[in-house]
Amino acid sequence: MPYGRLAVLGFQHVLVMYAGCVAVPLIVGGALKLDPSTIAILVNADLFVAGLITIVQSLGVGRILGVRLPVVAGATFAALTPMILIGSKYGMPAIYGAFLVSGLFGLLIAKPFAKIIHLFPPLVTGTVITVIGLSLIDAGAGLIAGNDEEAPGYGDLGNLALAGAIILMIVLINRFARGFLVSLSVLIGLVFGVIVASFMGLVDFSGVGAASWFGLARPFYFGPPEFQAAAIVSMCIVMLIIFVESTADMIAVGQAVGREPSENDIARGLAADGLSGILAGAFNSFLDTAFAQNVGLVQVTRVKSRYVVTAAGVILVLLGLVPKLGEIIAAVPGPVIGAAALVMFATVTAVGIRSLRRVEFDGTNNLLIIAVSIGVGMIPVVAPNFYGRMPDELQIIFGSSITTTVIVVFLLNLLFNGASRGVRVHR
């Protein structure tokens, strides 16, 4: 395509994934009480690495990396809870140490994992995705109302009203708008929220003026990475979740463009996800996965060129090199981000429930498997101190509803259904 058209169509992909991508550093930064300038650094690093992995996925690197399909990469929600737990107990260097090791782990197992994807049928993936969404709703609510119930401003009615207005805006756009505008509903809701919040005196852009126009934070900004065993185990489990999610999206994109990915294609795509862990660990970013909303955009627009997605990756890299942009995003108030996040996290839950519709329940124990997995997985959310007497290492693993659910549902599926009854995900 002409370069101008590539740029426009690529920018369309960036708009669709932008809100979901930047939500991760904003939520992690808020939960770990990082200052706005530091959160801005995370936002820029997030966009930069997402752009690099998007370019790798679309163009490919020899026979080693990249599925060579129009796959857009972005920060995964699956790592949010483990990151917050690790950061709270060990600090940021332990998060990035875990990323480095999980990235290497991902590169090593990409090929073997592509061969055993049948061990992750919709029963497993649907349950895990459902719990990912449910477990993160607490983070969205915390951004809106605050995390300290004893604080004077907790549950401020103005903040609740602002969040409600944003959610209503997103709902109305989805109800009455058509076409591409619907794909931008969350981003439009965010912009609307920032405008309203500015009139409420909640927006502070004072840090934007001091930020430079071009630059990237130095590698290992938070210091040398630290390697904590529990953090590493937790992030390696998250990498498996990413692999399942990305496999489903790669297959869906392949079907949309008329090129079914082979086992080798999927293995190269998963290896690119592993590379995101290594880049994230070095450049202060986050683990990436294929973004499902961009898969939907390919299906809706029927634009099948992978070079359009390459253009989107280039745009993301350029955005990641603009510190002023990071400062602007970091200045978005918590209630605004929380409202958009609430919708996105609830949507993740709905996607998981949709996946579970494909599970056979009659004459099986699958209902019990789902019930036990969700019940055990949600314990850390409803009772945060449930595992408080465990050693710190075990708290990191079992204190995350996501990692707990993966372990329980995977083992129960093997116990009741074995390996032979698995089906390939999202065919």
Side-chain angles (χ1 to χ4, degrees), residues 117-135:
I117 194 63
H118 63 279
L119 295 180
F120 295 85
L123 172 64
V124 174
T125 58
T127 303
V128 172
I129 293 171
T130 300
V131 171
I132 288 174
L134 289 173
S135 66

Side-chain angles (χ1 to χ4, degrees), residues 35 113 119 130 170 172 191 195 199 267 275 313 324 355 358 396 415 423:
D35 62 81
F113 189 89
L119 295 180
T130 300
I170 294 171
L172 291 176
V191 174
I195 293 172
F199 287 105
L275 176 64
K324 279 189 182 295
S355 297
R358 301 173 53 210
I396 292 294
L415 175 65
V423 294

Side-chain angles (χ1 to χ4, degrees), residues 53-309:
I53 298 301
T54 298
I55 293 171
V56 169
Q57 289 285 33
S58 57
L59 289 183
V61 179
R63 298 182 178 181
I64 304 172
L65 297 170
V67 68
R68 292 187 178 87
L69 285 171
V71 171
V72 177
T76 178
F77 290 144
L80 265 177
T81 303
M83 279 186 70
I84 293 170
L85 286 170
I86 295 167
S88 299
K89 287 189 176 294
Y90 300 122
M92 298 297 289
I95 293 175
Y96 291 113
F99 280 175
L100 288 169
V101 178
S102 66
L104 180 60
F105 170 74
L107 285 172
L108 293 175
I109 70 160
K111 181 69 174 178
F113 189 89
K115 295 179 179 295
I116 63 164
I117 194 63
H118 63 279
L119 295 180
F120 295 85
L123 172 64
V124 174
T125 58
T127 303
V128 172
I129 293 171
T130 300
V131 171
I132 288 174
L134 289 173
S135 66
L136 292 173
I137 289 175
D138 179 62
L143 286 167
I144 296 170
N147 293 307
D148 183 3
E149 296 183 10
E150 305 299 324
Y154 180 82
D156 180 81
L157 292 180
N159 291 343
L160 299 186
L162 173 61
I166 295 168
I167 294 173
L168 179 61
M169 170 69 75
I170 294 171
V171 170
L172 291 176
I173 292 172
N174 279 272
R175 172 61 181 87
F176 296 106
R178 293 291 182 270
F180 177 60
L181 199 61
V182 174
S183 301
L184 299 181
S185 59
V186 174
L187 185 62
I188 294 171
L190 281 170
V191 174
F192 166 76
V194 171
I195 293 172
V196 175
S198 63
F199 287 105
M200 297 172 63
L202 299 178
V203 182
D204 180 13
F205 288 123
S206 59
V208 177
S212 59
W213 280 103
F214 184 82
L216 184 68
R218 68 179 184 276
F220 304 110
Y221 177 83
F222 297 96
E226 297 178 4
F227 302 98
Q228 300 286 343
I232 290 169
V233 170
S234 182
M235 282 304 167
C236 286
I237 292 174
V238 169
M239 185 61 69
L240 295 178
I241 300 171
I242 291 172
F243 276 11
V244 174
E245 186 180 0
S246 287
T247 299
D249 290 334
M250 286 187 284
I251 291 173
V253 169
Q255 292 172 343
V257 303
R259 185 174 80 79
E260 190 79 7
S262 67
E263 183 180 289
N264 287 334
D265 291 331
I266 291 174
R268 291 196 306 270
L270 298 180
D273 287 339
L275 176 64
S276 78
I278 294 176
L279 292 178
F283 289 99
N284 323 295
S285 184
F286 304 89
L287 300 180
D288 285 335
T289 187
F291 259 35
Q293 51 264 55
N294 292 90
V295 176
L297 183 61
V298 171
Q299 294 168 335
V300 169
T301 63
R302 298 180 182 178
V303 176
K304 302 178 180 181
S305 171
R306 60 193 173 110
Y307 299 109
V308 168
V309 167

Side-chain angles (χ1 to χ4, degrees), residues 3-63:
Y3 290 130
R5 191 176 180 196
L6 277 177
V8 171
L9 293 174
F11 189 61
Q12 182 175 248
H13 271 285
V14 172
L15 289 175
V16 167
M17 60 85 69
Y18 193 80
C21 192
V22 300
V24 174
L26 291 174
I27 293 170
V28 170
L32 297 180
K33 296 179 172 57
L34 302 179
D35 62 81
S37 294
T38 303
I39 295 175
I41 289 171
L42 297 182
V43 169
N44 284 114
D46 176 32
L47 296 172
F48 179 75
V49 171
L52 290 179
I53 298 301
T54 298
I55 293 171
V56 169
Q57 289 285 33
S58 57
L59 289 183
V61 179
R63 298 182 178 181

